[in-house]
Amino acid sequence: MNQKIAVQIDDLTVAYNYKPVLWDIDLTVPEGVLMAIVGPNGAGKSTLIKAILGIIKPIAGSISIYGKPYTKQRKLVAYVPQKGSVDWDFPTTALDVVMMGTYGSLGWIKRPGEKEKKIALESMEKVGMLPYKNRQISQLSGGQQQRVFLARALVQDASIYFMDEPFQGVDATTEIAIINILKELRKAGKTVIVVHHDLQTVPEYFDWVTFLNVKKIATGPVKDIFNDDNLTKTYGINYKVAVNK
Amino acid sequence: MSNPQIEIQLIAAVVAMACAIPGVFLVLRKMALISDAISHSILPGIVIGFFITQDLNSPLLILLAALFGVITVVMVEAIQKTGLVKEDTAIGLVFPVLFSVGVILIAKNASDVHLDIDAVLLGELAFAPFDRLIVTGADWGPKSLWIMGSILLLTLSLLVLFFKELKVSTFDAGLSSALGISPVIMHYGLMSVSSITVVGAFDAVGAILVVALMIAPAATAYLLTEDLKKMIGLSLLFGVVSAISGYWAANFLDASISGSIATTLGVIFLMIYLFAPKRGLISVLYRQKQQRIEVSLITFLLHLNRHEEESERHINHLQEHINWRAVRARTVLNLAEKNNLVQITNNVVSLTEKGLAFTEKSLAYIINNRDEKIEPMKEDFFLFRG
Ligand SMILES: Nc1ncnc2c1ncn2[C@@H]1O[C@H](COP(=O)(O)OP(=O)(O)OP(=O)(O)O)[C@@H](O)[C@H]1O
Ligand SMILES: [Mg+2]
């Protein structure tokens, strides 16, 4: 394969209060894959994404995005946090939240204008949230909130998208809507990295997968490595998942 | 009105506005308590500053005190990070210590100067106009008006410049840091501004009123709006209104001005808490009652819709079938009849055409709960209220 490398991680160790939750991770994500990160609760999946995005400082190791540190590549990256990480009672509307996606390219002090608003509205249209643009965010259902966050990531027009459990608590229609958008992103040459819990749907949704449980168990194409052996190593019990080869 | 009267009100209003702005973000960040902590733990900064300059209005005092404000925040966070205690406990550990250090410093070294603790805690607005700014022999007005005016100007310009940064870092720190808007910088920026405001204000109005002016207007505004800009606007308004009406209440009752303003703040909050149109206690209770009746009504109509047999629809057996208390059954039946949803012939209740249409719509509403189609239907759905 002669692909560019989107994310390169070497010897990464991350700790909370000196207790390591990620040990010595090496990971290479090629450009243009739609990758699932799977692992049990507390495996460090969210932590891995936060470390890549510089939200948590690692105690060792290096991370690069297209060959450069994240701080130099911010504009290439968009992020959808795990649900519940924001204050839903915050006085702000759905449209306003989506507009926040443009703040990164605006930089400090400059304020969003008509152009940013237009981009935000287009992106809300894509996820089917236009009718709700003026709703206060706490008055949206869980799935609708998730769509708002997806729309916010889309306005960032990044090259790499990180999503922490975008399917958590959403209905089948929303799940399909989201995965179709993710597949479109991949078609457009973007790299999409998704923390995912539903093992059944991994082969259907993704073409790349990383098994994680404090240490990296395996990473590679779904068709090569998504098997009982790796699942057992990751989850500690024998999973019987039908893998369609 | 005499000159000092106008000046006192002006000072109170300016202090109120200067406090309201950082207050909004403290309330949204659920950090109301920290303002209380800062207002006490800045004392050592003031005392040390006073030893150095021998002048209670020197800018160095403000800077040193603000530094102690930030030190408070850093210490609280350090204790919290150990994971042994929660944030409120950490706050409770830090500020009494710093405050006592200040008190001891005063007792040991400055017991003969004007720096008594009552003044620090309660302040006295009535005296504020007597401390004048005299430059080259000319009287430029009360010093505290100049100090607080500058602080207000600073706070306002920072707010305008960094509005979007404040918003995103308060709402979603993760995104904010991913976007390159460091939430840590915003956090300490806000803490520094809060400390400076507290320090500037406490000399004029006292530490307790400072805390009230920071928290109460923002908490009140929070009940009324779902828009951050409006929340800030309303906080400014509530602050100023409380300051002015508190002043007149004090005048009328011959009471402490700071105390009256703090009381007014509390009363306004209470009124809004009770009567706010959307989130107020009374409207919430009223809405809940309405919703209960509405749900009962729909349950009742669905029951009628589902049961063809007359025995199920006989007026005397209705309550057994739906399993309601008699009063509730009566209320619902009356409501349905009043709105021409049902008709009663020979003591048997049946749906009218309108009732049938409404029932079908309600059913669609309940099933489609996740669909965009709800929006226009809501109008119909709540049509029969009251
Ligand atoms: N802020 C924090 N302070 C201390 N420990 C933390 C913190 N956040 C996470 N941890 C711990 O780090 C470990 C990894 O957490 P992380 O959130 O990365 O897990 P995860 O794989 O995303 O799990 P989930 O599937 O439940 O989302 C867990 O053991 C968790 O308890
Ligand atoms: Mg997680």
Side-chain angles (χ1 to χ4, degrees), chain A residues 16-17 19 21 39-48 82 164-165 197:
Chain A
Y16 289 110
N17 306 322
K19 179 180 153 277
V21 295
N41 291 133
K45 306 180 293 294
S46 300
T47 306
L48 177 65
Q82 190 163 5
D164 201 341
E165 302 191 30
H197 267 303

